[in-house]
Amino acid sequence: MADGNINPQGTEKKAPWDGLKPTGAAADAMHTKDELNKKLLHLQAMLTMTFGEARASFDDMSEELRDNYLWGCYDTVEQCIALTSAAPKVVPHV
């Protein structure tokens, strides 16, 4: 019995919309979501150094370096807020 996702030529069936890229507000929303996700992943990685076992390394930094490090975290939060505020509102069609 043939798999429902395989056509008679033995290759995988593709949906008619495969390969199409969103445009307009949908593309803007996807780009903003991707940027926000990237910034949040950076922030998560940065903050990982400030608690738990890694905290000792953070505490060994000079006060100026710790302040600059946390300032970088704060800037990333500000960028996330700006991305969220500027995100296009896309309402799905129902």
Side-chain angles (χ1 to χ4, degrees), residues 1-50:
M1 182 175 217
D3 183 348
N5 289 328
I6 304 295
N7 64 26
Q9 291 78 28
T11 57
E12 187 176 346
K13 291 181 187 176
K14 295 197 181 266
W17 55 85
D18 280 356
L20 296 178
K21 295 186 179 190
T23 59
D28 291 345
M30 286 180 65
H31 175 74
T32 301
K33 178 183 175 275
D34 289 345
E35 284 298 307
L36 181 59
N37 189 53
K38 181 176 77 172
K39 297 285 183 194
L40 289 170
L41 289 172
H42 288 171
L43 182 61
Q44 180 184 34
M46 291 172 73
L47 290 174
T48 299
M49 292 295 299
T50 64

Side-chain angles (χ1 to χ4, degrees), residues 2 15 25 39 70 84 87:
K39 297 285 183 194
L70 292 173
T84 302

Side-chain angles (χ1 to χ4, degrees), residues 43-94:
L43 182 61
Q44 180 184 34
M46 291 172 73
L47 290 174
T48 299
M49 292 295 299
T50 64
F51 66 92
E53 291 181 26
R55 175 67 187 252
S57 296
F58 181 77
D59 289 340
D60 286 343
M61 293 180 191
S62 70
E63 185 176 346
E64 180 181 9
L65 190 55
R66 283 194 312 264
D67 283 347
N68 289 338
Y69 190 90
L70 292 173
W71 186 10
C73 292
Y74 178 82
D75 280 348
T76 303
V77 169
E78 289 288 305
Q79 292 167 7
C80 290
I81 291 169
L83 283 168
T84 302
S85 299
K89 307 299 183 243
V90 177
V91 178
H93 296 286
V94 181

